[in-house]
């Protein structure tokens, strides 16, 4: 079949899918945006016209240090209400903030229709414009709830897509499957997608859909390091002011990683990280020389911070951090200093230890390419997050600004309240 024939077939399939779904989601149109942005009313956002719809979201890191980006078709308004060229520019704007790190793209297909879909020519332009720097660090493209339309469009693009890129595509039929691949709790899933998944499950099993949430965790081991509070680790490791995972990874990276280009930007093999976590949680020794990869301790450090039930800088800083951009530039360092001085004593000590190390990393940025700005993009969402919610895209800018100040102005921010160094 010619490309033109495939395009016509794709359009027919999409229309058929719309007819099949007609009435199933009939009351959704009154709900407004499926994923309203927390900062959607901020008209100063350079892409406010696109961002307000919540089509593209950044959901922090997954459990192995890779950024999670979601694209939700059900949030696309009718085509006459959205400039698709601007949508492409917004996607590029989003990726430009993350493209130097490994990332995951999750595409929620449900909700695409004849009235809101971009044209096939637009898709071609999009693929052509996203050159190698965007594709290189994309680890996986998950297509959730694929249909015949998706498979036909994929065939249209096959002549353009490299074999290496094609291997990154993974079809996900149900949300429970997605939870097997990544940290599902990090994702911002539109309510319409949740309902559609429920409908598909009911059609398959005739019964209610199983929850995608994992069962409650078992009580932690006395030696547990990951996924437990700072206080728990301190109680079980009375001789250690700094959590052992942080002490050992920072010590190793200080000795052998400061001059590694792209430190903290690369991920490591998932199973390898699981194995190291298991060793730590069982209280067994870890020798990073055994792995011959400086990115392993780097990922372990990020994973440790990310899995803390309450972030190192506590939930209390999230609100003040979101207000930081409203503070005059000349006053932001002192505002950040004030926030740090209000931390509990132990959190302050550990935060000072971490930021001292990250400041040292930034001092080698001519070699390792990890400036305070780049480090902020990596660590920000691991240190600051809201209680009971995910970090959405507009919130990243103040979080990254705040973290950059902590790293770049370390001596000023942590200079006056000076507990003994560990």
């Amino acid at each position: 079949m010619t490309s033109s024939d495939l395009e016509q077939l794709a359009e027919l399939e999409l229309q058929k899918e719309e007819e099949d779904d007609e009435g199933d989601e009939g009351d959704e149109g009154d709900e407004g945006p499926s994923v309203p942005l927390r900062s959607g009313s901020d008209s100063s956002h350079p892409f406010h016209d696109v961002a307000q719809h919540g089509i593209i979201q950044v959901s922090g890191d997954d459990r192995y240090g890779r950024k999670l980006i979601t694209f939700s078709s059900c949030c696309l308004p009718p085509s006459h209400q959205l400039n698709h060229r601007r949508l492409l520019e917004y996607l590029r704007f989003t990726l430009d903030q993350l493209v130097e790190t490994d990332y995951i793209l999750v595409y929620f297909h449900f909700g695409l229709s004849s009235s809101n879909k971009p044209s096939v020519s637009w898709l071609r332009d999009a693929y052509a414009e996203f050159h190698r720097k965007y594709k290189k660090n994309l680890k996986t493209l998950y297509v959730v709830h694929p249909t015949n339309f998706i498979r036909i469009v994929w065939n249209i693009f096959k002549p353009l897509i490299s074999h290496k890129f094609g291997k990154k595509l993974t079809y996900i039929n149900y949300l429970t499957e997605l939870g097997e691949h990544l940290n599902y709790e990090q994702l911002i899933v539109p309510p319409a997608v949740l309902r559609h998944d429920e409908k598909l499950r009911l059609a398959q099993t005739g019964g209610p859909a199983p929850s995608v949430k994992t069962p409650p965790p078992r009580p932690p081991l006395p030696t547990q390091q990951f996924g437990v509070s700072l206080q728990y680790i301190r109680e079980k490791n009375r001789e250690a002011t700094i959590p052992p995972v942080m002490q050992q990874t920072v010590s190793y990276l200080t000795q052998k990683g400061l001059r590694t280009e792209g430190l903290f930007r690369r991920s490591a093999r998932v199973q390898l990280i699981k194995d190291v976590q298991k060793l730590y949680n069982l209280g067994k020794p870890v020798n990073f020389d055994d792995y011959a990869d400086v990115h392993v301790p780097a990922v372990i450090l990020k994973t440790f911070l990310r899995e803390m039930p309450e972030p190192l800088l506590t939930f209390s800083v999230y609100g003040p951090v979101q207000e930081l951009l409203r503070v005059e530039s000349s006053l932001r360092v002192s505002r950040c200093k004030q926030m740090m001085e209000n931390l509990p004593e132990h959190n302050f000590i550990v935060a000072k230890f971490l930021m001292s190390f990250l400041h040292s990393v930034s001092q080698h940025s001519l070699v390792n390419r990890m400036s305070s700005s780049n480090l902020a993009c990596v660590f920000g969402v691991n240190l600051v997050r809201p209680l009971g919610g995910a970090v959405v895209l507009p919130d990243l800018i103040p979080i990254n600004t705040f973290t950059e100040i902590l790293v770049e102005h370390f001596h000023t921010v942590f200079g006056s309240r000076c507990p003994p160094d560990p």
Side-chain angles (χ1 to χ4, degrees):
M1 298 179 70
T2 66
S3 178
S4 177
D5 291 336
L6 285 171
E7 288 183 33
Q8 290 181 13
L9 183 58
E11 182 64 33
L12 289 172
E13 281 294 334
L14 189 59
Q15 291 174 6
K16 180 182 175 183
E17 290 162 16
E18 289 179 69
E19 291 169 3
D20 290 342
D21 287 331
E22 191 173 344
D24 290 334
E25 312 289 341
D27 58 349
E28 275 182 25
D30 298 327
E31 294 183 2
S34 295
V35 187
L37 288 181
R38 188 176 289 112
S39 305
S41 60
D42 183 5
S43 59
S44 64
H45 191 286
F47 289 92
H48 171 71
D49 55 321
V50 183
Q52 63 181 328
H53 299 292
I55 302 161
I56 300 167
Q57 298 282 5
V58 176
S59 304
D61 290 5
D62 75 355
R63 64 187 68 158
Y64 304 112
R66 301 169 297 194
K67 300 295 180 185
L68 290 171
I69 303 172
T70 60
F71 186 106
S72 302
S73 290
C74 65
C75 296
L76 284 166
S79 296
H80 67 274
Q81 295 179 15
L82 178 68
N83 183 326
H84 287 148
R85 167 52 56 176
R86 289 279 291 166
L87 175 60
L88 179 56
E89 291 171 355
Y90 180 45
L91 180 57
R92 188 163 53 232
F93 168 81
T94 303
L95 292 177
D96 278 340
Q97 301 174 59
L98 309 169
V99 72
E100 296 298 334
T101 64
D102 295 339
Y103 68 98
I104 304 292
L105 183 59
V106 179
Y107 169 65
F108 293 116
H109 176 61
F110 174 74
L112 193 71
S113 66
S114 297
S115 64
N116 69 2
K117 74 173 183 66
S119 66
V120 172
S121 61
W122 180 88
L123 291 171
R124 284 200 191 95
D125 291 344
Y127 185 82
E129 288 193 25
F130 287 99
H131 46 79
R132 186 175 181 273
K133 79 168 185 174
Y134 297 99
K135 298 166 188 171
K136 179 180 66 172
N137 292 333
L138 172 65
K139 293 305 170 185
T140 311
L141 167 59
Y142 292 108
V143 177
V144 182
H145 301 139
T147 63
N148 285 337
F149 170 81
I150 286 289
R151 292 176 172 86
I152 293 169
V153 169
W154 184 253
N155 282 327
I156 294 174
F157 277 81
K158 263 190 175 178
L160 305 175
I161 294 173
S162 68
H163 175 70
K164 187 175 181 180
F165 183 84
K167 290 172 65 177
K168 299 179 180 183
L169 176 70
T170 300
Y171 289 130
I172 300 293
N173 294 312
Y174 305 101
L175 292 176
T176 47
E177 294 176 15
L178 190 61
E180 295 170 3
H181 293 275
L182 47 80
N183 190 350
Y184 179 84
E185 298 298 327
Q186 287 267 345
L187 289 180
I188 301 171
V189 184
V193 173
L194 293 172
R195 287 193 295 273
H196 180 65
D197 190 75
E198 178 80 10
K199 187 190 78 170
L200 293 177
R201 279 288 183 184
L202 285 170
Q204 181 201 39
T205 64
S211 171
V212 295
K213 293 185 177 180
T214 55
R218 296 176 180 177
L221 298 168
T223 52
Q224 192 89 15
Q225 298 291 307
F226 291 84
V228 293
S229 68
L230 200 61
Q231 180 181 357
Y232 184 90
I233 295 173
R234 187 180 189 186
E235 290 173 354
K236 302 298 181 183
N237 299 267
R238 293 189 180 279
E239 300 301 317
T241 305
I242 304 301
V245 173
M246 293 185 66
Q247 184 75 64
Q248 292 167 22
T249 53
V250 166
S251 176
Y252 187 89
L253 292 169
T254 298
Q255 295 176 42
K256 302 186 177 182
L258 293 182
R259 300 180 67 83
T260 300
E261 184 172 346
L263 185 66
F264 296 115
R265 283 178 170 171
R266 299 279 79 82
S267 57
R269 280 198 304 115
V270 169
Q271 189 56 51
L272 190 59
I273 298 304
K274 287 182 178 179
D275 292 343
V276 175
Q277 285 182 276
K278 184 176 181 180
L279 288 175
Y280 270 118
N281 286 337
L282 292 174
K284 295 183 178 180
V286 174
N287 183 355
F288 288 115
D289 282 330
D290 293 343
Y291 304 102
D293 183 359
V294 76
H295 297 295
V296 171
V299 172
I300 286 293
L301 176 59
K302 291 190 297 179
T303 303
F304 174 79
L305 293 168
R306 184 167 47 256
E307 292 192 2
M308 293 176 70
E310 181 175 34
L312 175 60
L313 302 185
T314 75
F315 291 120
S316 64
V317 306
Y318 193 81
V321 166
Q322 290 304 309
E323 298 296 319
L324 186 62
L325 297 186
R326 300 183 183 181
V327 177
E328 276 188 52
S329 298
S330 60
L331 301 177
R332 289 177 185 171
V333 175
S334 60
R335 181 63 59 89
C336 292
K337 178 181 174 67
Q338 182 182 31
M339 282 189 265
M340 291 300 95
E341 290 178 343
N342 288 334
L343 288 177
E345 184 74 10
H346 191 211
N347 293 71
F348 179 88
I349 293 171
V350 177
K352 181 181 179 183
F353 172 79
L354 176 65
M355 291 303 161
S356 175
F357 165 63
L358 295 183
H359 180 75
S360 296
V361 174
S362 72
Q363 297 303 293
H364 294 79
S365 62
L366 287 178
V367 179
N368 62 33
R369 306 297 182 189
M370 294 305 293
S371 64
S372 56
S373 175
N374 290 335
L375 288 166
C377 290
V378 171
F379 278 90
V381 291
N382 296 321
L383 298 171
V384 182
R385 66 178 187 269
L387 177 64
V391 177
V392 295
L393 183 57
D395 294 356
L396 284 176
I397 297 175
I399 288 173
N400 291 347
T401 300
F402 165 72
T403 310
E404 182 178 353
I405 289 172
L406 298 188
V407 175
E408 184 172 349
H409 300 277
F410 164 75
H411 294 292
T412 301
V413 172
F414 291 90
S416 59
R417 180 179 168 185
C418 290
D421 285 328

